[in-house]
Amino acid sequence: MSVDERAPAVAGTVSPPAPARRRSPSPAKAVVVIAPLALTIALGLWGIRRKNTMWGDESVTYQLAHRDLSQIWLTAQHIDLVHALYYAVMHEIFGLFGGGLLTLRLPSVLAMSVAASGVGLLALRLAGPRAGLLAGLVFPLLPQVQKYAQEGRSYAMVCALVTWATYALVVSVAHRTRWRWAVYGSTMLLACLLHEFAVLALVAHGVTLVVSRAPRPVLWAWSVAATGVVAALSPLAICSAGQSEQVSWIGGPVRPGYFLVVAVVGVVCALALLGVRGPVRLSALAVPILVLPGLLLLIASLVKPLFVDRYVVYSNIGIALLLGAWMDYFLRRQRSSRYVWVAAVAVLAALVQPSLSLRTPQSRSNDVTAIGAAVRKEGRPGDGLLYLSGQHRILTAANPEDTRFLTDLALAQDPVSSNTLAGVELPAQEIAARMLEFDRIVVVRATGAHSPTDPREEAKTSTLRRHFREYGTTHVNGARVTVYVRHHDPSRRSAPS
């Protein structure tokens, strides 16, 4: 019996639901749930502290989650509205378990573990228990899954919700009860409220139903659920569109290589399975969710750069399903198990280096812990402190002790009282005047960032160029920390102000 013949009807095919005798026994289902869950937790806990370092976006989560809910809401009116719900969730978690580094990342570990179980159940329902177990075990081994399982951001939670929404879709197609469609729509809406680009998974689900030739009642039920999700999400999307400057740092597609490689591998696996009467229905579900979200973002980036790989981390659901089904098919037809073990060892060996590197501070684009430590080391009590640009003040805000003895020369109102991420800066003339009161200034620049050409930033750079000289620079992951001294007396130190 082929995998396709074994699988129950899925995604709106005209076949009737599979009879009870074809269902997997509960012990098999328990293994499919528990084994991926345990593996994902183990991988998530391995090196979770990354040598007690934190990167910039995590630092934003850390800072905002420590604010009151009212402050989070007021801040979201200015910036990061798209993440407001996540910050509120993390605020409550910090209130229950404390606001440490482990508390910051453990919710992502647990969320990705729940996603792994969901992937296993999806494959079990579509292609049988062994495919379910294999897909569930492959999912946490994927490098992108390992990476975002250890980040204090919303992407793991979004991935878990999209996974279980997809499972609810498959179940709703088979049973066609209203409350199941309500569960599907509610889960998708929650994923979209955590991050708007989860709505692209909704598109993938629609394509799955169309490709699978779902009957009209199923298409109608999905359309109602999808319309409800879009309608409920629209106010957030409209308001957050006014904050589009917060993604102005995206100069082009960011890290598209992983997505492109995985998408190509997934499509090849799907075609190979189709050619040998593999899980056709599984392919109809897996390929759209693997390819479409990232592809749509890449197409949109031709107009406005929007593609960042973490925005579509849930596309890994598709590649895990396809690889699990492909390995199941291979095992059924491979007479000698020796080749299977050789292939398994080769895959695990290939994953060792990425797994190790993902657990180092250098695996992220910056390291705010190292940046703050460099500022503390280079600065002297009473020195001035300057950020080029001011938005990069968040790079040292996670640990106020690093800058406690320095004077922030451009700051007019701190981030908390101003309900912003980086605070409010003084007018350009006042910044220049304050700079001239100091003989030593510690300057923080983010690597690869271009300072905005507004009067404040021009005042900072022109004053440094005319009245100061570079005394020394420390390069850390994601930033340069440079000490500038006045031309007339490099050895003088300013008095504390």
Side-chain angles (χ1 to χ4, degrees):
M1 180 181 295
S2 71
V3 174
D4 188 38
E5 293 166 339
R6 214 176 56 246
V10 173
T13 56
V14 294
S15 308
R21 62 182 178 82
R22 292 189 179 183
R23 292 188 176 182
S24 303
S26 56
K29 181 175 286 190
V31 171
V32 168
V33 170
I34 294 173
L37 183 80
L39 178 61
T40 312
I41 290 176
L43 290 173
L45 294 178
W46 170 34
I48 190 173
R49 288 184 174 274
R50 294 201 301 274
K51 299 182 179 178
N52 292 316
T53 60
M54 187 186 304
W55 86 286
D57 280 12
E58 287 184 306
S59 175
V60 173
T61 300
Y62 184 81
Q63 294 167 53
L64 285 180
H66 277 95
R67 300 184 188 182
D68 294 336
L69 289 176
S70 60
Q71 292 176 320
I72 292 174
W73 174 244
L74 291 172
T75 301
Q77 308 308 302
H78 302 291
I79 194 169
D80 251 5
L81 179 61
V82 67
H83 295 298
L85 177 60
Y86 174 69
Y87 296 144
V89 171
M90 291 305 298
H91 170 83
E92 297 300 327
I93 292 175
F94 278 13
L96 290 173
F97 303 105
L101 191 59
L102 285 177
T103 310
L104 176 68
R105 292 176 180 155
L106 274 176
S108 293
V109 174
L110 297 177
M112 206 63 92
S113 303
V114 171
S117 293
V119 169
L121 286 178
L122 270 171
L124 180 147
R125 189 175 185 92
L126 300 176
R130 184 162 59 182
L133 179 60
L134 290 169
L137 293 177
V138 164
F139 181 77
L141 294 176
L142 298 174
Q144 201 177 50
V145 173
Q146 290 190 57
K147 180 176 182 178
Y148 294 108
Q150 291 189 330
E151 285 204 359
R153 296 298 280 172
S154 64
Y155 308 110
M157 293 185 184
V158 172
C159 185
L161 288 167
V162 170
T163 302
W164 283 94
T166 306
Y167 185 77
L169 173 73
V170 172
V171 174
S172 298
V173 166
H175 294 280
R176 304 183 190 180
T177 53
R178 290 183 180 180
W179 72 267
R180 294 182 187 275
W181 285 107
V183 169
Y184 166 75
S186 301
T187 308
M188 274 304 308
L189 176 59
L190 186 55
C192 294
L193 292 175
L194 281 173
H195 198 279
E196 292 174 10
F197 288 152
V199 75
L200 298 174
L202 198 66
V203 178
H205 292 161
V207 171
T208 292
L209 295 179
V210 172
V211 170
S212 301
R213 300 178 182 177
R216 285 187 179 182
V218 170
L219 290 175
W220 174 253
W222 175 84
S223 298
V224 171
T227 301
V229 171
V230 172
L233 183 65
S234 294
L236 175 63
I238 293 171
C239 293
S240 62
Q243 300 178 354
S244 59
E245 71 277 359
Q246 73 183 80
V247 293
S248 60
W249 60 272
I250 307 176
V254 179
R255 295 182 298 273
Y258 176 87
F259 163 73
L260 293 173
V261 169
V262 168
V264 170
V265 170
V267 171
V268 169
C269 286
L271 292 175
L273 288 166
L274 287 169
V276 292
R277 289 185 57 79
V280 179
R281 301 178 182 90
L282 183 143
S283 299
L285 179 73
V287 172
I289 202 166
L290 168 62
V291 175
L292 282 180
L295 182 61
L296 291 173
L297 273 188
L298 284 173
I299 293 172
S301 294
L302 297 175
V303 179
K304 178 180 176 58
L306 289 173
F307 183 93
V308 183
D309 62 348
R310 58 181 176 267
Y311 293 168
V312 291
V313 68
Y314 56 82
S315 64
N316 286 277
I317 298 167
I319 188 63
L321 290 173
L322 289 167
L323 289 176
W326 189 88
M327 287 188 289
D328 176 52
Y329 171 82
F330 183 78
L331 286 169
R332 285 184 171 277
R333 286 155 178 76
Q334 182 56 251
R335 295 180 179 178
S336 174
S337 62
R338 179 177 58 186
Y339 299 106
V340 176
W341 285 108
V342 170
V345 171
V347 170
L348 290 174
L351 289 171
V352 168
Q353 181 56 37
S355 297
L356 291 173
S357 63
L358 285 171
R359 288 157 176 82
T360 65
Q362 293 73 29
S363 63
R364 270 60 176 180
S365 58
N366 56 47
D367 179 357
V368 299
T369 308
I371 295 169
V375 170
R376 176 186 283 195
K377 179 181 178 182
E378 298 298 329
R380 302 174 183 175
D383 284 352
L385 177 63
L386 205 63
Y387 297 89
L388 298 177
S389 66
Q391 65 183 0
H392 296 135
R393 189 169 281 106
I394 62 173
L395 296 178
T396 61
N399 184 9
E401 289 297 313
D402 291 331
T403 59
R404 186 160 68 94
F405 297 107
L406 306 180
T407 301
D408 194 329
L409 301 180
L411 188 64
Q413 192 176 5
D414 68 86
V416 176
S417 63
S418 63
N419 295 309
T420 60
L421 292 183
V424 177
E425 295 200 329
L426 294 164
Q429 290 184 344
E430 292 187 38
I431 294 174
R434 291 197 73 189
M435 290 173 66
L436 294 176
E437 297 174 3
F438 287 75
D439 291 330
R440 280 175 53 97
I441 298 177
V442 179
V443 176
V444 179
R445 289 186 180 89
T447 301
H450 300 286
S451 297
T453 57
D454 63 69
R456 292 180 178 87
E457 301 307 324
E458 291 177 355
K460 295 174 188 177
T461 55
S462 62
T463 303
L464 286 173
R465 185 171 59 252
R466 292 171 57 190
H467 300 284
F468 293 81
R469 68 177 179 84
E470 185 176 324
Y471 184 73
T473 298
T474 300
H475 294 270
V476 292
N477 182 20
R480 289 181 294 153
V481 178
T482 304
V483 176
Y484 284 86
V485 296
R486 290 288 294 271
H487 284 305
H488 64 277
D489 187 358
S491 63
R492 281 185 57 193
R493 290 166 51 191
S494 60
S497 57

